[in-house]
Amino acid sequence: MSARVVTPLVLGFIVNYIAAAAEGPAPDPRANHPGRAVYETYCAACHNIPGTRAPALSALQLMSEQSLRTALTQGVMQQQGAPVPKDSMPQLLEYLAANDGDANWTAAMMCSAEQRIVNLSEPVALSMFGVDHNNSRRMSAKQAGLTSKQLPQLELAWAIGFPQTTSLRSSPVIVGSTMFYAPAQSGKLLALDIDKACAKWVYDVGAPVRSSVSYGEIGSRHALIFADTQAQLHAVDAKSGERIWKANGRHDTTGNITGAPVFYKDRIIVPVSSSGVGSGANPKFECCVGHGAVVALDAATGKQLWTAHTMEDAQYTGKTSSIGVKFRGPSGAPIWSTPSIDVARGLIYATTGQNTSLPATPTSDAVLAIDLENGNLKWTYQALANDVWNLACRPDPAQSGPNCPSPADSVLKDYDFGAGAVLAKKRDGSEVLLAGQKSGDLWALDPQQNGKLLWRQRFGTGSALGGIHWGIAIDSEHRVFAPINDPHVPELKDYVPEPGMNAVDIDTGKVLWRKPVTADCSNGRDQRFNLCGEKYGLSAAPLVVDKSVIAGALDGRIYIFDATTGDIVWQYDTLRDFTTLNGVKGHGGGIDSHSVFAGSGMLFVASGYGGFRQPPGNVLLAFRPKDAQPAANDYSKPETWLCRPGRDDSCTVDLTTTVIATDGKLTEEPFKANSQAPIDCFYVYPTVSNDQTGNRDMNAGPEEHAVVRAQFARFGSQCRLYAPLYRQVTLKTLRMAMAGGGGFPADRTLGYNDVLDAWNYYLKHDNQGRGVVLIGHSQGSSVLTQLIKNEIDGKPIQAKVISALLLGTNVAVPTGKEVGGAFQHIPLCRAASQVGCVISYVSFRNDVPPPANSRFGRVPTAGMTAACVNPTALNGGKGELHAYLSNGANGVSTSAAQPKPWVTTGQSIDTPFVSLPGLLTGECVEKDGASYLAVTTNANPADARTDEIPGDVIANGQVLQDWGLHLIDAHVAMGNLIDVVGQQAKAYLKQ
């Protein structure tokens, strides 16, 4: 085994290959299911309309039957589900529910028996959503096990996927190396080993989970407390996962528990979010009933001790709607947030939402102070009066339903407090109560003077889904951090969204800094989330760790801000697929609610929130600081390879090609791999990673799959295919380096060492004496060049190397010679029967040669030339290029000019690749100190084919001539290269 390289590698030339061309929506395989008619009758009016808050049909069809049934019969959609006939409900659920193929997913992720011990004597990092009873959302470096210096160096440690899940909303408890986490729709509470991401025990809730988890003592037992979607509180033994008790946590029959229940001494304080807001959408419903409350339970038994109501029960008001349905009220003022506890004053602080029916009450859109002992209301601060709103209301009152109040009776804002109140200290030691509202307001109240207003700071104008949503956070330097969501709402006049993070001085209310966040629909993100240009604000509750602020965005991005300056020091895009440790297909989505938390030296983010037309997802992601010497990959694991023989993977894809004759005739050319291929091919792909870190993690994304399809899979006609994943330097680094920013922090040896480990694993376990062709492009070619220098050139293993195809990089050779320079014993290939040689070239249009500043086709060393071997004429001269060009954006960078139609006859081409015989020729040219493959387009305006091919790199609308045709280096001669490899294989086998 060779020593791992520790000297820096020169950054390989990198190309941005993006995922395959976006496909239209797939046909609904359940189109003929009888439940579809039920859906169209009772559900489609909301779920098929993008402008509503209702999840799209595609999101519903990722949910489990249990989650759907609970929502429609006992949960938030109970009123909407009521009209569905009883005998039609099973059909509807069967039509909507996701396949139950991962029913035993928890069994597959259990820890080994000796690893299932839960050690509760270790330090408690996170005992509740708010971090402490003040709801500070502030963790010291010691609590989190992370410092601000480490946070910019985070990298993905692992991902876990949850089946039949579209939304994750809960914060866990973290004690030592154990995380107690409830992936909401799964109906499970898991005790996870943080290091190994396996389960120590699993508690079956029996219903989806809605709240976050809290930790405390019940007698001599350490207990976990949380609520399910039926408002049942579960007390679970943290050591064993056994139920201690289960009890009703609400004061009525319809309320939910959305905020986290909180342990305090011998009591559990429970916020209830009953409101009737959804019922108002039904014009036949006598609107509305239900109101918020705080309920105190006996921690030992779950028995209700007292209930603090936000208003009296609704009564008939004597008025009717425009269609004659009776009105009821008051209702609303739900408590969506987690209560804070003022230990010194013996108070609970709870924040409320709007009223949902008239008459308006003084407890809506308010901060309430409740006596901890008996539940009596001590004082109220109402931020907005007469805010009466339900789901019958629309931005244009003329479009509202009968149950929506008139503008004369209500301000119709829906400006809830979804964020809990935070008790903080000022510099003089006095206290201030902080609260954030969907109006965009940040309020500071004096708890010593019954909630007297100290100051108010507003960010933007707010909206029903804007402003401050699920939380604010404070730090030790008397700053409060207010995330603003503010989606785009074209229907609202004079509304200007201001999404971003804001820092305010706690003493004065002075704004210290503002950091906006902007939309990003590039690199195929618009295909994963079609509202990426509208919903990208910060809704989830932020978390302060040390001297940094961490926030998640609706579009799946994570941001870490410097608490002092507001600078973004790290970000990561979770809107992608993930390879999970538990084998469940992982999909990242929006980040919302209580989904950012930390502990045990790691940052955790739950990615996926399918409500409110946000991107669904199902992964829990763990990030840890990059080690000084990262651990080596284990290439015995299947997930570390993009391609290996005998399985379905990135190389077993559709490579069907449409061959276009000069007269416009189209012929489909099928592709079939050779399962009995006598040789191997080992491929290292170019830099394609869109990760926002210096090095790629080990989760294959659409960009890796696409480039393998475009550059490598077709070699399956000649050889067995091996393509390892590796932690390459990312496009982020390249772009910053090109912009003069010095690059992004990256380990340039890490990717090489990964490829070296994969190569050694292949030689030891897979090669079995077979000949092998090395294939690379751009950074991949640079890595292979280094590998050949260090491990192959002049060594016994060289005898097994049939050839090396090093495309899109500069392989130095002495001018006028075939060997020397980069390699001392491996010459350039000059005949198809020659083996143990190198084919290398960089491609440029024949009429746009490499400029003097070109990064390709030139080497800086005197007496050396960049190798150019023409695959169409190995010994020199001109020949026809047998190109396989990607149809559409498939495998081609979004920074490339998009292709024009391939034919002028208007015929549709649906195959992933096209071939145009006779259109292109290639010839190696040496000119003005550059050596390159000149590609000529043999244009004929009279025939039916295109006269242009894509491949130029475009930046700011301009062609970057120094890149040449770098994007299609492999494409233009793919057929020629495959033919050469086939002939070389025959020559090798005759030896």
Side-chain angles (χ1 to χ4, degrees):
M1 187 70 71
S2 302
R4 296 170 63 81
V5 170
V6 294
T7 55
L9 282 176
V10 176
L11 174 62
F13 297 119
I14 303 172
V15 58
N16 179 11
Y17 279 83
I18 306 301
E23 299 176 356
D28 185 356
R30 312 176 200 179
N32 297 320
H33 193 286
R36 181 173 182 177
V38 184
Y39 169 83
E40 294 291 343
T41 301
Y42 297 99
C43 312
C46 289
H47 290 282
N48 284 7
I49 301 176
T52 69
R53 299 185 181 196
L57 173 61
S58 59
L60 295 177
Q61 290 182 326
L62 295 173
M63 297 171 65
S64 68
E65 181 176 337
Q66 180 192 54
S67 294
L68 292 163
R69 183 184 297 278
T70 300
L72 287 168
T73 60
Q74 299 173 299
V76 293
M77 297 298 292
Q78 184 175 359
Q79 289 298 328
Q80 285 76 7
V84 179
K86 187 175 181 180
D87 58 352
S88 297
M89 183 64 76
Q91 295 176 332
L92 176 63
L93 294 174
E94 188 176 278
Y95 169 65
L96 291 177
N99 185 288
D100 200 22
D102 292 313
N104 296 321
W105 64 276
T106 54
M109 63 178 297
M110 294 303 296
C111 300
S112 60
E114 66 274 11
Q115 295 173 338
R116 296 183 187 179
I117 298 173
V118 176
N119 184 359
L120 299 177
S121 65
E122 295 179 309
V124 178
L126 188 64
S127 63
M128 63 186 80
F129 159 73
V131 179
D132 49 42
H133 284 128
N134 293 340
N135 250 356
S136 70
R137 292 286 293 165
R138 177 181 69 214
M139 300 184 76
S140 67
K142 183 178 180 180
Q143 278 179 290
L146 294 166
T147 67
S148 289
K149 185 177 180 179
Q150 292 175 308
L151 290 175
Q153 304 299 323
L154 291 176
E155 62 181 4
L156 186 67
W158 50 255
I160 295 175
F162 306 105
Q164 300 178 316
T165 294
T166 61
S167 296
L168 298 167
R169 60 182 305 134
S170 302
S171 177
V173 164
I174 299 176
V175 181
S177 61
T178 304
M179 174 195 296
F180 303 94
Y181 181 64
Q185 293 162 330
S186 72
K188 310 290 184 184
L189 175 66
L190 309 174
L192 294 173
D193 184 296
I194 287 176
D195 296 321
K196 299 177 178 63
C198 58
K200 300 180 179 182
W201 54 251
V202 178
Y203 172 75
D204 189 356
V205 180
V209 176
R210 185 165 175 85
S211 81
S212 291
V213 187
S214 297
Y215 183 68
E217 294 183 1
I218 296 179
S220 61
R221 306 170 80 175
H222 294 281
L224 305 162
I225 190 81
F226 62 94
D228 64 27
T229 53
Q230 299 174 23
Q232 298 297 299
L233 267 293
H234 297 250
V236 177
D237 187 297
K239 186 79 172 177
S240 65
E242 296 175 352
R243 179 186 295 171
I244 299 173
W245 52 255
K246 176 182 173 182
N248 179 30
R250 60 191 174 194
H251 62 289
D252 59 12
T253 60
T254 62
N256 290 307
I257 299 172
T258 304
V262 178
F263 269 101
Y264 181 70
K265 293 185 177 179
D266 60 350
R267 298 186 178 187
I268 296 170
I269 308 302
V270 183
V272 182
S273 53
S274 181
S275 70
V277 65
S279 304
N282 180 359
K284 297 181 181 180
F285 183 76
E286 295 177 337
C287 181
C288 282
V289 295
H291 62 262
V294 175
V295 177
L297 304 183
D298 184 304
T301 63
K303 178 183 177 180
Q304 292 193 9
L305 301 175
W306 54 253
T307 300
H309 298 268
T310 59
M311 64 193 68
E312 68 271 17
D313 287 339
Q315 305 293 329
Y316 287 103
T317 65
K319 298 181 180 180
T320 61
S321 72
S322 59
I323 61 173
V325 178
K326 295 179 180 180
F327 281 139
R328 289 182 285 182
S331 61
I335 298 173
W336 303 106
S337 59
T338 299
S340 49
I341 296 179
D342 187 336
V343 175
R345 297 179 180 87
L347 297 176
I348 298 166
Y349 299 120
T351 58
T352 68
Q354 84 284 355
N355 285 115
T356 54
S357 64
L358 294 167
T361 65
T363 53
S364 64
D365 291 350
V367 179
L368 310 181
I370 299 167
D371 192 298
L372 183 58
E373 181 63 29
N374 54 35
N376 291 336
L377 182 64
K378 304 296 289 186
W379 57 258
T380 300
Y381 181 86
Q382 186 171 42
L384 180 63
N386 297 315
D387 185 11
V388 186
W389 187 97
N390 59 58
L391 284 180
C393 302
R394 297 289 182 268
D396 179 2
Q399 303 297 318
S400 294
N403 284 331
C404 183
S406 72
D409 295 321
S410 169
V411 296
L412 294 172
K413 292 295 187 180
D414 184 22
Y415 281 171
D416 301 78
F417 281 94
V422 176
L423 188 63
K425 283 190 179 294
K426 298 165 68 175
R427 290 175 180 83
D428 64 4
S430 63
E431 291 181 313
V432 59
L433 191 64
L434 305 164
Q437 191 178 2
K438 289 192 329 190
S439 59
D441 284 296
L442 182 62
W443 303 88
L445 310 178
D446 187 344
Q448 194 61 33
Q449 299 190 54
N450 294 331
K452 176 184 176 182
L453 179 64
L454 296 175
W455 54 257
R456 170 191 183 188
Q457 186 60 253
R458 193 170 191 183
F459 301 101
T461 56
S463 70
L465 293 175
I468 300 169
H469 265 205
W470 289 107
I472 57 178
I474 61 174
D475 70 1
S476 59
E477 301 298 322
H478 308 287
R479 290 180 288 243
V480 55
F481 303 98
I484 299 296
N485 188 38
D486 277 10
H488 288 244
V489 186
E491 298 87 352
L492 294 180
K493 297 179 180 179
D494 302 320
Y495 166 69
V496 179
E498 298 183 19
M501 184 63 73
N502 306 275
V504 177
D505 185 279
I506 288 176
D507 285 31
T508 65
K510 177 183 176 181
V511 176
L512 301 175
W513 53 258
R514 303 191 68 183
K515 188 69 176 182
V517 294
T518 57
D520 182 3
C521 294
S522 64
N523 297 323
R525 299 184 90 250
D526 55 338
Q527 301 301 318
R528 298 189 71 99
F529 180 35
N530 63 348
L531 299 179
C532 56
E534 301 177 16
K535 296 189 175 186
Y536 52 89
L538 309 181
S539 173
L543 179 69
V544 168
V545 171
D546 195 16
K547 300 175 183 178
S548 304
V549 187
I550 307 169
L554 295 187
D555 67 352
R557 286 178 287 176
I558 313 166
Y559 299 92
I560 299 183
F561 303 87
D562 183 289
T564 302
T565 65
D567 292 339
I568 296 174
V569 299
W570 184 82
Q571 71 177 57
Y572 186 95
D573 188 1
T574 73
L575 191 66
R576 43 168 293 197
D577 294 340
F578 290 88
T579 300
T580 63
L581 291 185
N582 61 338
V584 176
K585 289 185 177 180
H587 312 285
I591 302 170
D592 208 344
S593 193
H594 297 183
S595 293
V596 178
F597 34 95
S600 193
M602 301 177 81
L603 170 67
F604 303 95
V605 176
S607 179
Y609 201 91
F612 303 100
R613 298 285 164 159
Q614 295 160 204
N618 70 335
V619 288
L620 175 63
L621 307 175
F623 300 88
R624 64 161 57 97
K626 188 176 183 180
D627 295 332
Q629 293 185 345
N633 287 322
D634 182 356
Y635 282 97
S636 68
K637 295 182 177 179
E639 62 268 23
T640 60
W641 295 85
L642 288 163
C643 300
R644 285 182 62 83
R647 68 179 195 176
D648 289 332
D649 54 29
S650 300
C651 284
T652 53
V653 291
D654 181 15
L655 299 177
T656 305
T657 301
T658 297
V659 181
I660 308 173
T662 55
D663 61 0
K665 181 181 178 181
L666 307 182
T667 305
E668 282 200 6
E669 175 189 289
F671 174 84
K672 184 177 181 180
N674 181 5
S675 61
Q676 303 299 317
I679 65 168
D680 295 342
C681 286
F682 186 95
Y683 169 69
V684 183
Y685 49 91
T687 297
V688 294
S689 172
N690 292 311
D691 278 8
Q692 297 298 303
T693 51
N695 288 86
R696 181 66 152 120
D697 59 33
M698 285 296 290
N699 286 282
E703 56 266 46
E704 283 88 4
H705 298 308
V707 75
V708 167
R709 184 187 204 186
Q711 290 191 347
F712 185 55
R714 200 173 293 274
F715 283 92
S717 64
Q718 304 295 336
C719 47
R720 299 190 311 180
L721 303 179
Y722 293 86
L725 270 169
Y726 72 107
R727 289 169 287 189
Q728 61 176 213
V729 176
T730 62
L731 286 164
K732 176 92 172 179
T733 296
L734 173 67
R735 291 173 181 142
M736 292 185 68
M738 290 178 64
F744 200 73
D747 184 346
R748 288 172 169 81
T749 66
L750 183 59
Y752 173 82
N753 285 331
D754 283 349
V755 173
L756 172 61
D757 289 342
W759 171 249
N760 284 327
Y761 180 87
Y762 159 78
L763 290 178
K764 182 176 180 180
H765 298 280
D766 299 307
N767 178 260
Q768 298 175 345
R770 296 160 64 94
V772 59
V773 177
L774 301 175
I775 303 173
H777 180 252
S778 196
Q779 184 183 179
S781 291
S782 296
V783 171
L784 283 177
T785 299
Q786 189 83 0
L787 182 76
I788 294 169
K789 285 181 181 180
N790 296 340
E791 306 295 325
I792 298 171
D793 191 14
K795 298 181 180 179
I797 190 62
Q798 181 179 331
K800 292 183 181 180
V801 175
I802 297 172
S803 63
L805 313 184
L806 306 178
L807 313 180
T809 194
N810 299 321
V811 175
V813 293
T815 303
K817 296 185 179 181
E818 305 296 316
V819 69
F823 310 128
Q824 300 306 306
H825 304 92
I826 303 176
L828 302 182
C829 295
R830 292 307 183 191
S833 59
Q834 182 183 0
V835 297
C837 56
V838 172
I839 294 176
S840 181
Y841 61 84
V842 296
S843 57
F844 282 78
R845 296 185 188 274
N846 71 308
D847 55 352
V848 187
N853 67 339
S854 177
R855 64 191 66 235
F856 298 111
R858 300 178 185 274
V859 292
T861 306
M864 293 287 176
T865 302
C868 183
V869 177
N870 182 1
T872 75
L874 296 176
N875 202 33
K878 183 183 292 187
E880 179 181 334
L881 289 165
H882 185 180
Y884 284 90
L885 301 173
S886 298
N887 183 22
N890 177 9
V892 177
S893 167
T894 52
S895 61
Q898 294 303 300
K900 294 182 178 180
W902 297 109
V903 288
T904 60
T905 55
Q907 299 173 82
S908 174
I909 298 177
D910 299 321
T911 59
F913 295 92
V914 297
S915 180
L916 302 101
L919 182 65
L920 303 177
T921 54
E923 181 180 18
C924 282
V925 172
E926 292 188 20
K927 183 178 180 180
D928 298 329
S931 177
Y932 58 99
L933 182 68
V935 178
T936 300
T937 303
N938 302 309
N940 182 0
D943 70 20
R945 301 191 306 188
T946 182
D947 291 332
E948 299 181 28
I949 60 168
D952 300 298
V953 178
I954 307 294
N956 300 319
Q958 300 295 316
V959 173
L960 301 183
Q961 294 185 359
D962 57 322
W963 284 82
L965 293 175
H966 191 68
L967 298 177
I968 58 171
D969 282 326
H971 301 62
V972 293
M974 179 62 67
N976 310 98
L977 291 167
I978 291 170
D979 289 343
V980 170
V981 168
Q983 294 179 65
Q984 288 179 325
K986 292 178 181 178
Y988 176 83
L989 295 170
K990 288 181 180 179
Q991 294 182 153

